[in-house]
Amino acid sequence: MSEQTIELEPNTITALVNAQRNEITESIIYERLANKIKDPHNSDILRAIAKDERSHAAFYRHYTGQDVKPCLLYTSPSPRDRTRSRMPSSA
């Protein structure tokens, strides 16, 4: 069985790339949440959701033909994440 090539309009490709970026971003967010959750059952559920999001991104990649990067606004560590405590050392 041969694959059929579909010609997509530029605005459709843009929408698909945005959806692909969202899926990649969400997979990273779910994975980070899973790493922070202490309960193994809940952590496993979040990892499963992250895996699903990655498969959704792969689906879109099939149509866009592009590898996209996640949205850095939601995936970059915040300054708060770089410190051990939010309490001042003099407290």
Side-chain angles (χ1 to χ4, degrees):
M1 179 184 241
S2 65
E3 271 192 42
Q4 186 176 11
T5 303
I6 300 172
E7 186 72 29
L8 299 173
E9 295 185 20
N11 62 338
T12 302
I13 293 173
T14 298
L16 291 173
V17 166
N18 287 335
Q20 183 180 353
R21 179 172 290 108
N22 289 341
E23 298 293 344
I24 291 290
T25 302
E26 291 163 0
S27 74
I28 292 169
I29 292 169
Y30 282 118
E31 194 66 41
R32 286 188 181 168
L33 286 171
N35 291 335
K36 291 187 180 275
I37 300 295
K38 291 182 182 8
D39 181 273
H41 175 72
N42 290 338
S43 182
D44 288 345
I45 290 171
L46 290 168
R47 281 187 185 22
I49 295 170
K51 182 179 175 184
D52 286 343
E53 298 297 335
R54 286 190 299 273
S55 72
H56 299 159
F59 171 82
Y60 289 121
R61 184 174 50 245
H62 175 77
Y63 292 98
T64 65
Q66 300 178 36
D67 286 324
V68 297
K69 296 192 183 291
C71 178
L72 295 177
L73 177 64
Y74 299 110
T75 60
S76 296
S78 73
R80 239 187 349 211
D81 292 339
R82 291 185 212 133
T83 60
R84 291 183 165 223
S85 171
R86 294 189 334 198
M87 294 295 292
S89 59
S90 62

